[in-house]
Amino acid sequence: MIGLREKLLSGPERDEPDATALHRRFQASVDSATGLFNELREEKNYYNDDHDLLSVRMELRPTASLSDGGYRVGPIMMGRTDEPVSSASRAMFEGFERYSLSLYEKDRLVHASPKRLAEQLRAFIDVDLFADVRRPVDRDSLFRWVAGLDLATGAEVLVPAQAVYVPYAFADGEQELREPLTTGAASGLAWPHTLTRALHEIVERDATMLLHYGGCAVRLIEPAHVLGPRMLAYTRAMQATDKSVTFAQVQTDLPAHVVVVVVEDPTGRSPAVCVGSGAAASIAAAAESALCEAAAFNRALRSRLAYGEQLLSRAPSAQPVTSGELRGYYWAQPERVGTLSWFDGAAVMPESAVTDAPIYEPAQLVDHLVSLPGGAIVVDCTPPDVRSFGVYCLKALVPALQPMHLDESCMIRTARLQERIVGSGSGSTTDKIGPHPFL
């Protein structure tokens, strides 16, 4: 059987069409009565110190009536770049992703315990790989499963449905292995490129969690060494309003570049700390992605500070960070400026090191990930109405890598993070580190 690695290297979809050139095709999906999305529009009210990048807002229609999970209230996506059609495409493709992941029928899923699947000689990924290493899973516990493809062989393998679909409605008594999030999902116009983006997001989340909780090292980057003229101008404009903007490469052991961008504002005009991250085959692409994400979150947080304060007033005092909104509000407070210690003692990358940084091939990443415990799996979540636009939606899973969490009570410790904690001598707990700032 031809493995999916080979599909990355050959075939008619080796080159992905330009989504911006096909933007008119996708606009048919925007219709409050019959479309997938209620609206797609550029934001009009920019802040005085925040007008150099264009923001496009996308609102997904509720999907609860179409799914055994689904959204009761349609989520809002934001695309932010230096060009309007590109911003709209980013928002729209995230919308395709969210829509696709929210659709499933529980009767089409396999409902069984790991023990029963083993007795039936079914291929499945061990649920312990998705759970906290300190809390083994009962082998007789019932889970819902969905079929995916093993990236090493192309063979079918079952994975927990809760690791794929968002929002996910747990069955009665079904144990929550990890917080259901969209990490590892991507939509696009060519299967190999979509898969590569999905895998890069998993790598990004793993690296940023290891950075915050496991003491992963970084190297600082001069923005002029990785950004094009327009994105560099945006960075300089932020710095001109007394914000500090720090770029750093996370030293991951995976064949991809991961960059974090931290924007701190001591003036109180905008969120105190706003962080973006990106992973890509090249360091320049990772840096631009991280900057665009930081900019998008900065704008979104500014417009939702009052809502965050309202949520915080209703949250349990012992654990205030129980959602993405509260996490953003926590880091928006003025007292958070200067509290991140990631860059203490970090060296600056020489320009030559940035220029000579390798550009990784997708197959290098796949080959590395399939060698990890549990390997790498992809689930094709594309519903027919999304596929009619020529779009794929894939959800990739790499159980051994550290997942991100938004609810602090849902943080899990993988064997990978456990090794980092023990190796760094930081003790057996992450409680003293505090909530991470990623959204």
Side-chain angles (χ1 to χ4, degrees):
M1 180 182 292
I2 296 177
L4 295 187
R5 179 187 185 280
E6 284 69 24
K7 193 168 183 179
L8 288 172
L9 299 175
S10 61
E13 293 183 330
R14 175 65 175 161
D15 296 321
E16 185 173 29
D18 181 1
T20 60
L22 301 173
H23 185 62
R24 286 183 178 274
R25 175 203 295 180
F26 307 131
Q27 286 184 318
S29 65
V30 183
D31 187 304
S32 60
T34 61
L36 308 183
F37 311 111
N38 279 333
E39 67 170 0
L40 175 70
R41 62 176 174 82
E42 182 185 345
E43 296 280 16
K44 297 300 182 183
N45 299 315
Y46 291 94
Y47 298 95
N48 290 336
D49 61 343
D50 186 40
H51 54 75
D52 294 278
L53 291 187
L54 297 167
S55 296
V56 173
R57 168 194 175 100
M58 162 73 80
E59 181 183 332
L60 177 65
R61 294 182 65 202
T63 59
S65 63
L66 306 175
S67 172
D68 284 324
Y71 292 103
R72 297 187 181 278
V73 177
I76 293 171
M77 283 65 66
M78 183 76 72
R80 194 148 201 223
T81 70
D82 58 355
E83 198 276 325
V85 177
S86 177
S87 297
S89 291
R90 286 199 181 199
M92 185 167 286
F93 275 80
E94 185 177 350
F96 283 133
E97 173 189 313
R98 294 290 191 93
Y99 175 81
S100 301
L101 291 183
S102 73
L103 302 184
Y104 69 92
E105 296 178 39
K106 61 183 180 183
D107 292 341
R108 292 180 177 269
L109 304 175
V110 176
H111 195 204
S113 67
K115 182 178 179 180
R116 182 61 175 160
L117 292 178
E119 292 170 348
Q120 295 175 344
L121 302 180
R122 300 286 297 271
F124 68 97
I125 301 300
D126 188 351
V127 287
D128 278 333
L129 292 172
F130 292 93
D132 194 299
V133 293
R134 299 163 296 181
R135 297 187 290 274
V137 179
D138 182 354
R139 312 299 292 177
D140 290 313
S141 297
L142 291 174
F143 295 92
R144 291 191 183 121
W145 305 80
V146 63
L149 296 178
D150 185 327
L151 285 180
T153 65
E156 183 176 286
V157 61
L158 294 175
V159 295
Q162 62 175 276
V164 175
Y165 298 109
V166 182
Y168 178 76
F170 287 86
D172 291 341
E174 184 175 12
Q175 179 180 339
E176 183 173 334
L177 299 170
R178 55 178 63 173
E179 186 177 9
L181 294 175
T182 60
T183 298
S187 59
L189 299 173
W191 203 97
H193 298 264
T194 304
L195 174 60
T196 301
R197 285 193 291 271
L199 294 174
H200 275 145
E201 185 175 53
I202 296 174
V203 169
E204 172 197 332
R205 301 308 192 194
D206 170 80
T208 53
M209 292 302 98
L210 295 183
L211 167 64
H212 189 73
Y213 295 107
C216 200
V218 300
R219 292 192 295 175
L220 300 176
I221 306 171
E222 166 56 45
H225 297 163
V226 288
L227 298 178
R230 295 181 70 175
M231 299 305 287
L232 181 59
Y234 174 68
T235 302
R236 299 303 189 214
M238 282 197 292
Q239 293 170 328
T241 60
D242 299 322
K243 297 184 181 75
S244 68
V245 186
T246 305
F247 287 72
Q249 182 194 48
V250 184
Q251 300 296 281
T252 180
D253 57 354
L254 302 172
H257 295 283
V258 180
V259 173
V260 294
V261 173
V262 178
V263 180
E264 293 189 301
D265 185 357
T267 69
R269 290 191 296 263
S270 66
V273 178
C274 198
V275 178
S277 56
S282 73
I283 192 170
E288 181 171 327
S289 176
L291 178 60
C292 287
E293 183 175 274
F297 286 151
N298 186 280
R299 178 174 176 78
L301 288 174
R302 289 176 81 157
S303 63
R304 292 173 66 83
L305 283 178
Y307 179 59
E309 186 172 9
Q310 183 183 35
L311 286 176
L312 188 64
S313 68
R314 301 197 298 263
S317 58
Q319 185 56 268
V321 177
T322 55
S323 66
E325 287 87 353
L326 289 173
R327 187 173 297 278
Y329 183 76
Y330 175 93
W331 282 100
Q333 303 311 305
E335 60 268 25
R336 307 296 171 213
V337 171
T339 60
L340 288 173
S341 59
W342 303 339
F343 308 137
D344 294 351
V348 179
M349 288 184 73
E351 183 175 3
S352 59
V354 176
T355 304
D356 296 337
I359 297 178
Y360 295 105
E361 288 293 327
Q364 291 177 267
L365 180 59
V366 172
D367 286 345
H368 190 105
L369 297 180
V370 299
S371 71
L372 299 174
I377 307 95
V378 61
V379 180
D380 190 338
C381 300
T382 317
D385 45 3
V386 170
R387 190 72 194 98
S388 69
F389 290 100
V391 174
Y392 295 98
C393 180
L394 305 177
K395 180 67 179 286
L397 303 169
V398 185
L401 298 189
Q402 181 66 30
M404 191 179 83
H405 58 279
L406 293 178
D407 183 339
E408 204 65 15
S409 67
C410 292
M411 179 188 177
I412 71 162
R413 188 178 298 178
T414 60
R416 183 169 166 83
L417 178 58
Q418 178 76 357
E419 291 170 5
R420 292 271 182 163
I421 292 171
V422 172
S424 67
S426 57
S428 60
T429 181
T430 55
D431 297 341
K432 298 177 183 178
I433 297 176
H436 69 78
F438 299 96
L439 297 172

